[in-house]
Amino acid sequence: MILLVISVVFYIMYLGTFSFYLMIFMISMPVILFALDLYMSRKLKVSFRQKSLKCPASSVIHPELIIENPTIFPISNLEITLEYNGAVETGKNLTKINTPVLPMETQSLKMNVASLHIGIVDFRIKKCRIFDLLRLFHFKLRSKSFKQGQREMSVFVFPQYSHLDNAVSDYSNFGVETDEYSPDKKGDDPSQIFDIHEYIEGDKPNRIHWKLTAKQDKVMVKDYSLMMTYAVRIFLNLNISRSQDYDIIVESALSVSMLLVERGIAHTLEWLDPKAKKLKSYNIKNEQEHLDCVDRLIIARTYIDENNEIASFTDESDFLVCGHLIVVSKPLSNQSISKITESGFASKYTIALVQNETDTGEQTDSKISDNADIIYLHKDRITAAFSDIIL
């Protein structure tokens, strides 16, 4: 506007061809810039290249934006506003990216984002604005400028497991009977034959397969199957508000689950669904089922319920008796701990509590009772916390 006034004054004071063309140029420039910005705002397209990404925690991820300019005109400044939020965060975070756009080009814009916490991080292109060279005008891109389904993307940040090498108890007499049998372990369930082999010293006479023995003219013995009982239950308390607590809870529970998978122990991983007010339970007996459960856990949302710091186990019809109940949680009151250990839902209890960083007091692992242990979890010291526990 100042340049426009100066050009008019210059023309009045110095009549001539140069001053006239200068005034026309200065008057027409805003009109041209306005028209170009309006035109470009209808042609430009912005989108995410990927709909989702997966990465381990504490790594750098690279969400990629694609900017398509099919016109012959460059853009001096495109402002892209992104909003994002993590698994534990309740509000939206905003960040702005400014970049020039070349004519007749499809540009790739990679971002560097540090994945500090476990969980799902949702990104969304909130708005885009085009500015002219002189920043006289700006126009927002219309909703049609964003490709359908490519305005949002999610980043799944997975935990890095802690190595556990604990002894594991035999809970074959506990848990819920199912119609599933171990594919690689024999047991004592006569309803299903696991294998048949030639008699060797030590085989029980009552397991001789008499019909097959008579047919093959040598003593053949039956091995019975092992029924999967899911005797170990791991409960994650997602009633939390701190990302640090969430990271430790998820990493600890999944590390225990992976150890049980490696030892061939069927178990259950569960947490409360705050919307349905019911437990989400997933039976795990192999690595693939463990990975499938991890995918579901990562997209599960945390919640805050100040009136009930942990999901209550009061409905005995919904919570089945097991051999070992492992609860991984934020710090709990003595009342809540007693409520768990006196519930009668397991023969053994392990309460693993995240210790706040501000708590400088020395807390050692302690035994609540003959069948209940309490341990305290710290970031990067999960292995040490579980070291003396027999799972």
Side-chain angles (χ1 to χ4, degrees):
M1 183 60 68
I2 295 175
L3 290 176
L4 182 61
V5 172
I6 292 174
S7 64
V8 172
V9 173
F10 183 79
Y11 173 70
I12 295 173
M13 294 180 62
Y14 303 97
L15 293 176
T17 304
F18 175 76
S19 59
F20 173 75
Y21 284 122
L22 178 62
M23 182 183 68
I24 295 299
F25 174 76
M26 296 303 296
I27 293 174
S28 62
M29 180 179 288
V31 177
I32 295 171
L33 292 176
F34 179 88
L36 279 176
D37 282 358
L38 179 61
Y39 173 72
M40 297 294 292
S41 67
R42 297 174 182 271
K43 294 295 183 180
L44 200 68
K45 293 189 180 298
V46 181
S47 61
F48 282 110
R49 181 182 293 277
Q50 315 97 330
K51 292 195 68 174
S52 64
L53 282 175
K54 294 183 178 181
C55 69
S58 302
S59 63
V60 178
I61 54 179
H62 304 284
E64 191 172 354
L65 287 166
I66 300 300
I67 305 168
E68 300 178 32
N69 181 10
T71 72
I72 61 173
F73 304 106
I75 298 173
S76 61
N77 186 19
L78 170 65
E79 181 185 87
I80 304 172
T81 302
L82 299 178
E83 64 178 12
Y84 61 95
N85 69 294
V88 183
E89 298 168 347
T90 55
K92 300 285 186 181
N93 300 294
L94 296 178
T95 185
K96 292 183 179 181
I97 301 172
N98 294 85
T99 180
V101 181
L102 300 175
M104 302 182 69
E105 287 279 350
T106 297
Q107 297 177 214
S108 174
L109 190 62
K110 285 189 176 181
M111 299 173 286
N112 295 323
V113 181
S115 56
L116 299 178
H117 298 292
I118 300 168
I120 183 171
V121 183
D122 294 317
F123 288 88
R124 181 177 181 274
I125 303 173
K126 182 177 177 62
K127 64 180 179 180
C128 293
R129 298 193 299 175
I130 293 176
F131 290 86
D132 62 79
L133 185 62
L134 300 178
R135 298 185 72 88
L136 297 177
F137 311 102
H138 68 265
F139 287 92
K140 288 177 61 177
L141 268 61
R142 302 179 304 168
S143 57
K144 292 182 179 180
S145 299
F146 305 103
K147 289 186 177 180
Q148 187 174 4
Q150 291 182 269
R151 191 171 182 175
E152 300 88 15
M153 76 165 295
S154 299
V155 177
F156 297 86
V157 184
F158 292 89
Q160 297 189 17
Y161 289 64
S162 296
H163 176 70
L164 302 180
D165 192 26
N166 300 60
V168 179
S169 299
D170 180 13
Y171 296 104
S172 57
N173 295 324
F174 294 89
V176 185
E177 291 191 354
T178 67
D179 56 358
E180 297 180 60
Y181 295 88
S182 173
D184 50 16
K185 285 187 177 182
K186 59 184 179 180
D188 297 310
D189 188 344
S191 63
Q192 188 87 6
I193 295 177
F194 176 76
D195 192 18
I196 299 176
H197 65 271
E198 191 173 349
Y199 177 86
I200 57 176
E201 187 177 352
D203 284 340
K204 297 179 180 179
N206 63 349
R207 295 195 180 184
I208 295 176
H209 196 304
W210 294 109
K211 288 184 179 181
L212 197 58
T213 297
K215 186 180 293 187
Q216 296 193 5
D217 199 23
K218 55 184 176 182
V219 181
M220 303 300 293
V221 178
K222 297 176 287 186
D223 286 328
Y224 294 145
S225 293
L226 176 65
M227 181 179 288
M228 310 295 288
T229 58
Y230 302 102
V232 180
R233 304 174 75 94
I234 306 171
F235 176 79
L236 296 87
N237 182 19
L238 299 185
N239 181 11
I240 48 180
S241 59
R242 299 186 343 132
S243 297
Q244 296 88 338
D245 291 351
Y246 178 81
D247 292 348
I248 297 173
I249 289 171
V250 172
E251 181 180 339
S252 301
L254 293 182
S255 296
V256 172
S257 175
M258 180 54 73
L259 172 65
L260 295 176
V261 168
E262 292 171 352
R263 300 291 175 85
I265 305 298
H267 59 284
T268 302
L269 206 64
E270 54 196 1
W271 57 88
L272 181 69
D273 181 347
K275 289 187 177 180
K277 301 295 182 183
K278 291 184 178 180
L279 288 178
K280 288 281 189 181
S281 299
Y282 298 95
N283 292 333
I284 300 171
K285 59 181 180 292
N286 54 51
E287 186 172 354
Q288 185 56 53
E289 289 180 348
H290 171 86
L291 295 176
D292 291 342
C293 183
V294 172
D295 288 340
R296 296 185 179 97
L297 175 59
I298 292 300
I299 64 175
R301 291 295 182 180
T302 60
Y303 63 97
I304 300 176
D305 184 356
E306 297 179 353
N307 298 321
N308 185 15
E309 63 181 358
I310 190 166
S312 60
F313 305 126
T314 56
D315 190 348
E316 298 188 16
S317 63
D318 287 343
F319 201 90
L320 300 168
V321 176
C322 62
H324 191 179
L325 174 60
I326 303 170
V327 177
V328 190
S329 172
K330 66 181 181 181
L332 297 175
S333 64
N334 292 333
Q335 182 181 2
S336 294
I337 294 173
S338 298
K339 189 175 184 179
I340 296 170
T341 58
E342 297 173 6
S343 63
F345 292 131
S347 63
K348 182 178 180 180
Y349 302 88
T350 297
I351 314 296
L353 303 179
V354 176
Q355 188 175 35
N356 293 329
E357 297 171 357
T358 55
D359 189 352
T360 56
E362 288 293 325
Q363 286 183 290
T364 58
D365 299 350
S366 60
K367 201 170 237 345
I368 303 173
S369 62
D370 290 340
N371 68 335
D373 294 291
I374 183 169
I375 61 175
Y376 299 96
L377 304 172
H378 304 259
K379 183 65 175 173
D380 301 324
R381 284 189 281 168
I382 295 173
T383 300
F386 278 98
S387 60
D388 297 328
I389 299 296
I390 298 176
L391 298 174

